[in-house]
Amino acid sequence: MRTYLVTGGAGFIGSNYIHYMFKKYDNEIRIINVDALTYAGNLENLKSVEDRENYTFVKADICDREAIEAVFAANDIDRVVHFAAESHVDRSIRNPEVFVRTNVLGTAVMLNCAKAAWELPDGSFKADKKFLHVSTDEVYGSLPEDDEAFFYETTPYAPHSPYAASKASSDMLVRAYMDTYRFPANITNCSNNYGPYQFPEKFIPLMINNALQGKPLPVYGDGKNVRDWLYVEDHAKAIDMVQEQGRLFETYNIGGHNEKQNIEILDIIIETLQGMLPAEDPRKALVSRDLITYVEDRKGHDRRYAIAPDKIKEQIGWYPETMFKEGIKKTIAWFFENEEWMKNATSGDYQKYYTEMYENK
Ligand code: NAD
Ligand code: DAU
């Protein structure tokens, strides 16, 4: 039975990945989820798997070398899937240091511990051990507003935000391990994800949550920045396919072929909410385009991201399966069914964060 060490599995993409993997492999795999449970980590995301015998949760910080060494010492790990990171660009603009600590130092600790556990005396590695580093398209910087321009695996790195710079640094460390030690790894660089369990600091869940309460919908700048949105389950599938079918030591870009301006996304959200809410639901009267409020732009706001996921399609056969209109309906349906989750996620520190982030905008 293959054993996975998943870092950051209590976060948005990590928890969706764990659900995807158990749905696909059921009892054929074992998953150990290592997560420090920062504000973004939520064990409620994993309620339905927590009693499985082939699932273990370990509360640990990826920067804590001893704790990570202990996980490798106690388990014969076959796969590492490294999600754990500070992930929100706005937070990185306010407080970059924690991004450097977790994203750079934490990745170095993960690489070092995996290398120590998997390395043989002659410097080669035990058979069939693999490390997958989950990264972002933001490392490539910003594209012009030109439908022909895309990010490719060969695009030079040009990160702008402290978040992107920390992820670019972590990618470089993984590359260095592959080049120096022939450490068995892959890097994936993915576009914007959306779907269940996404923390409502990010654009889509924040807008859904605010619209349902009749609160202003804060659009940065002119609202014409473009992102390439991918349904999170498609990302989970891509990660598994890259790890099992990809060529070791290579990078794969993962994207949704779904470029849209932020304001277009917001229009679709509003229209979908209006269509899904029953006539007798009092929230139906609250959801309106009148809530859209243009606010001060994000500092250094990247204009456009777009991935051409040609390599992963040609080599591995992965492509984005969920059309945006279908994915957004599934996402909204999930938020309707999980009101308690949203209530819990937006209680406590979230209110403080929201006030500080948006009060002067
Ligand atoms: P998230 O913020 O929802 O979750 C991050 C998880 O990591 C949380 O559970 C948190 O508790 C944990 N974590 C944070 N610091 C930790 C530490 N020091 N030790 C152990 N655990 C720690 O993030 P996400 O959106 O799920 O992103 C997951 C990964 O995917 C990140 O590496 C991110 O850069 C990458 N990524 C995200 C997107 C996206 O659209 N969200 C797109 C491409 C790539
Ligand atoms: O591209 C992949 C990246 O996508 C990931 O690496 C990051 O972890 C993830 O957070 C995401 O980064 P973005 O900055 O693109 O996502 P965010 O949801 O924060 O913002 C999406 C767009 O919406 C962006 O252009 C900024 C804008 N925005 C965001 C918020 C939170 C607003 O206009 N208003 C808002 O309140």
Side-chain angles (χ1 to χ4, degrees):
M1 184 191 280
R2 224 186 265 150
T3 299
Y4 286 75
L5 193 176
V6 174
T7 69
F12 163 49
I13 307 176
S15 58
N16 277 285
Y17 169 81
I18 290 175
H19 288 299
Y20 173 81
M21 292 297 278
F22 280 137
K23 208 158 61 179
K24 177 164 182 199
Y25 296 104
D26 196 10
N27 290 324
E28 289 166 29
I29 58 166
R30 201 158 73 93
I31 295 182
I32 300 162
N33 171 19
V34 172
D35 197 299
L37 299 183
T38 67
Y39 79 92
N42 185 350
L43 290 180
E44 273 188 65
N45 300 359
L46 295 159
K47 266 259 161 286
S48 65
V49 304
E50 69 184 12
D51 293 331
R52 294 185 75 107
E53 285 190 356
N54 55 343
Y55 170 76
T56 310
F57 174 67
V58 178
K59 185 173 184 305
D61 186 328
I62 54 165
C63 300
D64 179 348
R65 176 177 239 291
E66 280 179 21
I68 302 301
E69 273 172 353
V71 175
F72 277 98
N75 302 280
D76 182 12
I77 304 291
D78 301 298
R79 302 281 185 270
V80 174
V81 184
H82 177 37
F83 292 98
E86 287 292 334
S87 69
H88 191 38
V89 173
D90 290 329
R91 288 186 193 252
S92 82
I93 293 167
R94 290 187 161 224
N95 182 16
E97 281 179 25
V98 64
F99 284 70
V100 177
R101 181 183 179 275
T102 291
N103 300 359
V104 186
L105 179 63
T107 299
V109 169
M110 290 307 304
L111 288 165
N112 237 3
C113 290
K115 176 175 171 286
W118 293 346
E119 200 168 25
L120 294 167
D122 69 357
S124 67
F125 289 91
K126 291 180 187 168
D128 199 28
K129 303 289 188 191
K130 296 180 186 179
F131 188 108
L132 189 141
H133 177 60
V134 180
S135 192
T136 169
D137 60 358
E138 296 200 16
V139 298
Y140 298 121
S142 186
L143 289 165
E145 284 164 306
D146 161 5
D147 290 346
E148 300 302 308
F150 291 101
F151 294 138
Y152 293 95
E153 285 79 359
T154 48
T155 302
Y157 275 29
H160 295 135
S161 72
Y163 161 72
S166 69
K167 290 297 289 188
S169 310
S170 67
D171 291 12
M172 291 302 169
L173 274 173
V174 181
R175 287 185 181 188
Y177 269 64
M178 296 193 287
D179 292 347
T180 308
Y181 310 111
R182 296 296 282 168
F183 179 75
N186 288 103
I187 300 172
T188 52
N189 294 90
C190 188
S191 63
N192 287 61
N193 285 214
Y194 68 100
Y197 305 112
Q198 188 167 30
F199 191 75
E201 64 187 353
K202 307 280 165 53
F203 185 75
I204 288 184
L206 185 144
M207 295 300 170
I208 294 172
N209 185 43
N210 280 19
L212 288 170
Q213 295 176 67
K215 283 191 185 165
L217 306 174
V219 175
Y220 298 166
D222 65 2
K224 292 187 179 160
N225 297 67
V226 171
R227 297 292 183 267
D228 172 7
W229 294 94
L230 177 70
Y231 191 62
V232 64
E233 195 173 290
D234 286 346
H235 187 189
K237 182 174 181 178
I239 287 170
D240 180 42
M241 287 177 79
V242 167
Q243 198 160 43
E244 297 318 316
Q245 297 163 48
R247 297 184 191 156
L248 266 184
F249 316 114
E250 295 207 6
T251 288
Y252 292 87
N253 284 351
I254 304 170
H257 258 320
N258 178 49
E259 286 177 51
K260 288 197 175 10
Q261 293 181 343
N262 294 335
I263 196 69
E264 294 177 275
I265 295 287
L266 200 42
D267 281 338
I268 296 173
I269 292 174
I270 292 167
E271 197 186 306
T272 312
L273 281 170
Q274 283 167 340
M276 287 174 75
L277 285 165
E280 64 278 12
D281 192 314
R283 293 173 301 178
K284 201 174 175 95
L286 300 177
V287 176
S288 147
R289 288 200 91 251
D290 296 343
L291 298 173
I292 295 175
T293 311
Y294 287 91
V295 299
E296 188 191 331
D297 208 353
R298 174 184 277 174
K299 286 188 173 64
H301 197 175
D302 286 338
R303 192 61 174 169
R304 174 171 170 259
Y305 302 147
I307 283 214
D310 299 347
K311 177 176 172 180
I312 189 170
K313 183 159 188 225
E314 279 156 25
Q315 281 192 17
I316 301 179
W318 178 90
Y319 59 93
E321 287 174 48
T322 313
M323 295 292 102
F324 188 72
K325 287 207 169 163
E326 178 199 342
I328 200 72
K329 266 194 192 157
K330 284 206 234 181
T331 304
I332 290 173
W334 186 87
F335 280 112
F336 282 166
E337 284 156 22
N338 292 275
E339 282 178 30
E340 207 50 34
W341 183 96
M342 184 60 96
K343 245 186 234 156
N344 294 342
T346 53
S347 65
D349 279 355
Y350 181 82
Q351 298 304 337
K352 190 167 164 271
Y353 163 81
Y354 195 90
T355 309
E356 281 174 13
M357 188 64 71
Y358 293 93
E359 70 184 344
N360 294 321
K361 285 208 182 269

